[in-house]
Amino acid sequence: MNTELIIAEKPSVAGDIAAALGGFTRGNGFFEKPGCIITFARGHLVEIGINKDSDPGFNLAALPVLPSPFLLGPIHGCEALLTTIERLANRSDVTKVVNACDAGREGELIFRLIIGFLGIRKPTERVWLQTMTPTGIRTALTNRRSDAQMRPLADAARSRSEADWLVGINATRVMTLCGAVQVEKGHVVSAGRVQTPTLALVVNREDEINSFVSETFYEVMGTFGVTEGTWPAKLIRQDGEHKGSTRFADKAQAQQAVQRCEGKAVDEISETTTRQRRNAPLPFDLTTLQRVANVRFGYPAAKTLDIAQALYEKHKVTTYPRTDSAHLPSDYPPKVQAIMKALPARFQAFGQEVLNQGWAKAGHPVFNDAKISDHFAIIPTGNVPANLSEHEEAIYNLVVRRFIAAFYPAAEFDKTTRDAWIGSDMFRASGLVQVSAGWMKVYDDADEEASRPKKKSKNEEDDAQGKLPRMDKGEAASLQKLELKTGKTKPPPRYTEASLLGAMETAGKLVDDEEMSKAMKERGLGTPATRASTIEDLLSAKKGYMTRKGKELRPTQKAGDLIAALRRYGIEFLASPELTGEWEHKLTLMEEGKLSRDDYMREVRESVQRMVTRVRGS
């Protein structure tokens, strides 16, 4: 009998596939039934490198290191899994090997490195798993993709991996050897395509803070009154280029405004009310979960990832956490409805309302296959949690509330803007009144920052905010007090882990080229699975690039020296997200079959050679 070997990326996926197909018995590291074997990896089992005998090491004259071909070797601790896969693949009845690793570039790379290292030469097929429902698994197994169809994605995956390796190892060695950055003996000046632009964000922000010169400004605040009470309002300037601003750089001008209005009657009050909607937040992707947990609880990104991983692997109460998607598959409405019924008691009233109102149905914007790549959003599984630690409970609650809230209707507010005119001077105040709680009813005030009204826009920050007392139509208002307030401009804040994760996620916005920015839009700097470890690496004593003070991240002298040296040598592209943008654009072309792997890698090798030559020549 011909047998096919299916290789999943992790044990849980192998188990899901076996359950969906049915009839399997479990062996040591695999599932089997007549005609089919399912085994698994645990993420990456194989890494690329160079033969030690041909490695020039830290010898500036012998750089760059440009292995061709790359050496493949097992990652420490993965030998047993590789042995199992090799033994199963080499069985005489196995005639086909099926890639069921995660749907995406990295899943393709994991599979290709395994079969390349093990020398598996049997025909291969691809199962593109985007949903782990039994129906979704069976559909994906039916609609397989051929090896020829997957070749462009495999080329892009391998090329990205090799390019990262080439830039990282050569940049690290050349910057260590050039002497521009002082390090202790035996230590290196680490550099790389993701970590160095991330570090540059923090260094550049510190430079902005250090060079910032605070300026004094003045604002005029009036207090107005009617029968029902008083309210504060800020003077909105009406003069030329300053129109719409509340600030005066010249104190005398501000005092003149006070003198114009003091003791005068209010000529006119105008009021407009607009209905505002705030849509429900989508379920969590990993980066957003890490950012919220950092703001709410002060958890480092790596800690949140560890907790989310435990909730998934150990407790099985949430789904796979290393995801960049905030959406769910289109075939998931029945699954979501089942989860709503199985929520812990404290959430059941909300879950039941979702079910009673029919909100979690096909067509809801949460269900969108086009917004899912390797994995879908982080949501509860429906399993009842038990024996969670305090920190696990905190993250679990965030995930569940966000999941439920995603299916509630929008929250609605009435925003009232009240303008008081004294001659040609106008004072503005605005108030926000909740009309319908919508999804916000899922949260209590202390539970999550997302439950608060949306951050004010730039223009709204210039208005006086607060609850406005009721006014009868035609009622006169009086100016009760005028104040001249003094303020100082502030430097930009230092990055926290939450804001740095956000900057890494949206690094495409820092890239001017439209095509490169578009290519980075879905990936940014690093991936959800690697951003936390990148930050932790930069904070590590071994790297010595950043320190943490409270929630603030601060660069060390070594970090500043590195970024300055890159600029001095004319290789600042290593500290810019444009390198990632350029690569992602070309990798996208490769995935579309519009660029060859050979041409791409030739360009990467040439750029590495130029980098080394430039530093060596300096």
Side-chain angles (χ1 to χ4, degrees), residues 245-262:
S245 173
T246 66
R247 295 180 177 182
F248 294 84
D250 185 347
K251 185 176 183 180
Q253 280 188 306
Q255 288 173 328
Q256 288 171 9
V258 172
Q259 291 166 5
R260 283 197 306 271
C261 299
E262 209 157 28

Side-chain angles (χ1 to χ4, degrees), residues 38-319:
I38 306 170
T39 189
F40 48 84
R42 289 186 184 273
H44 280 280
L45 305 183
V46 176
E47 59 188 353
I48 61 174
I50 185 173
N51 191 309
K52 291 182 180 179
D53 294 336
S54 58
D55 187 349
F58 283 77
N59 179 352
L60 189 57
L63 292 175
V65 184
L66 299 171
S68 183
F70 278 83
L71 180 73
L72 298 182
I75 295 173
H76 179 69
C78 297
E79 293 83 359
L81 286 168
L82 287 166
T83 298
T84 297
I85 294 172
E86 182 177 33
R87 176 173 55 82
L88 294 171
N90 286 334
R91 276 177 33 173
S92 60
D93 61 322
V94 171
T95 57
K96 184 190 303 178
V97 181
V98 181
N99 177 7
C101 293
D102 292 345
R105 189 192 294 167
E106 207 62 22
E108 197 66 28
L109 178 64
I110 288 170
F111 176 78
R112 299 285 175 168
L113 290 179
I114 290 171
I115 64 172
F117 172 68
L118 296 177
I120 298 172
R121 297 288 182 264
K122 296 179 178 180
T124 63
E125 290 180 339
R126 181 62 150 117
V127 175
W128 199 256
L129 290 167
Q130 287 188 295
T131 169
M132 298 310 296
T133 62
T135 300
I137 291 170
R138 289 191 290 268
T139 300
L141 284 162
T142 299
N143 301 317
R144 302 180 185 195
R145 303 180 184 185
S146 68
D147 178 72
Q149 287 176 292
M150 301 311 302
R151 182 60 57 181
L153 181 62
D155 285 348
R158 188 68 181 266
S159 298
R160 196 277 307 157
S161 176
E162 291 177 1
D164 274 0
W165 190 95
L166 289 170
V167 170
I169 197 165
N170 284 290
T172 293
R173 292 184 181 184
V174 77
M175 294 310 298
T176 300
L177 293 167
C178 73
V181 184
Q182 296 300 312
V183 292
E184 297 178 21
K185 187 175 181 181
H187 288 229
V188 300
V189 181
S190 179
R193 183 177 66 94
V194 174
Q195 78 165 32
T196 306
T198 301
L199 181 63
L201 290 171
V202 180
V203 171
N204 293 342
R205 177 62 58 84
E206 195 71 17
D207 290 344
E208 289 180 57
I209 293 170
N210 292 334
S211 62
F212 183 82
V213 178
S214 181
E215 297 178 352
T216 301
F217 65 87
Y218 305 91
E219 293 181 312
V220 179
M221 178 70 75
T223 300
F224 296 82
V226 290
T227 303
E228 292 289 332
T230 61
W231 74 93
K234 283 183 182 178
L235 176 70
I236 307 297
R237 298 181 66 174
Q238 305 297 312
D239 49 320
E241 62 181 300
H242 301 294
K243 185 177 177 66
S245 173
T246 66
R247 295 180 177 182
F248 294 84
D250 185 347
K251 185 176 183 180
Q253 280 188 306
Q255 288 173 328
Q256 288 171 9
V258 172
Q259 291 166 5
R260 283 197 306 271
C261 299
E262 209 157 28
K264 301 289 178 63
V266 177
D267 296 313
E268 181 187 352
I269 294 283
S270 62
E271 191 170 276
T272 59
T273 298
T274 56
R275 181 65 53 88
Q276 295 187 339
R277 289 168 54 87
R278 186 177 174 194
N279 291 330
L282 291 167
F284 280 120
D285 58 75
L286 177 58
T287 300
T288 307
L289 177 61
Q290 288 170 318
R291 293 180 66 187
V292 170
N294 184 253
V295 171
R296 286 283 298 119
F297 311 123
Y299 293 170
K303 178 175 180 176
T304 299
L305 176 55
D306 288 344
I307 294 171
Q309 198 69 29
L311 292 172
Y312 164 68
E313 283 188 353
K314 178 183 175 183
H315 300 289
K316 304 187 187 307
V317 293
T318 59
T319 56

Side-chain angles (χ1 to χ4, degrees), residues 394-407:
I395 297 299
Y396 176 74
N397 286 343
L398 285 181
V399 171
V400 175
R401 287 191 191 276
R402 186 86 165 213
F403 166 71
I404 300 170
F407 295 97

Side-chain angles (χ1 to χ4, degrees), residues 518-573:
K518 183 180 178 182
M520 282 186 67
K521 185 178 179 182
E522 299 301 323
R523 291 186 172 91
L525 289 173
T527 66
T530 62
R531 287 176 192 138
S533 61
T534 297
I535 293 173
E536 288 301 316
D537 277 350
L538 294 172
L539 285 163
S540 69
K542 181 179 179 181
K543 295 283 177 72
Y545 282 136
M546 293 194 317
T547 59
R548 187 188 280 117
K549 185 173 182 181
K551 287 187 178 182
E552 289 184 342
L553 301 176
R554 302 187 180 201
T556 62
Q557 182 65 44
K558 178 183 176 183
D561 289 347
L562 171 59
I563 302 304
L566 295 176
R567 293 175 183 143
R568 189 163 62 250
Y569 290 134
I571 54 173
E572 62 269 23
F573 70 88

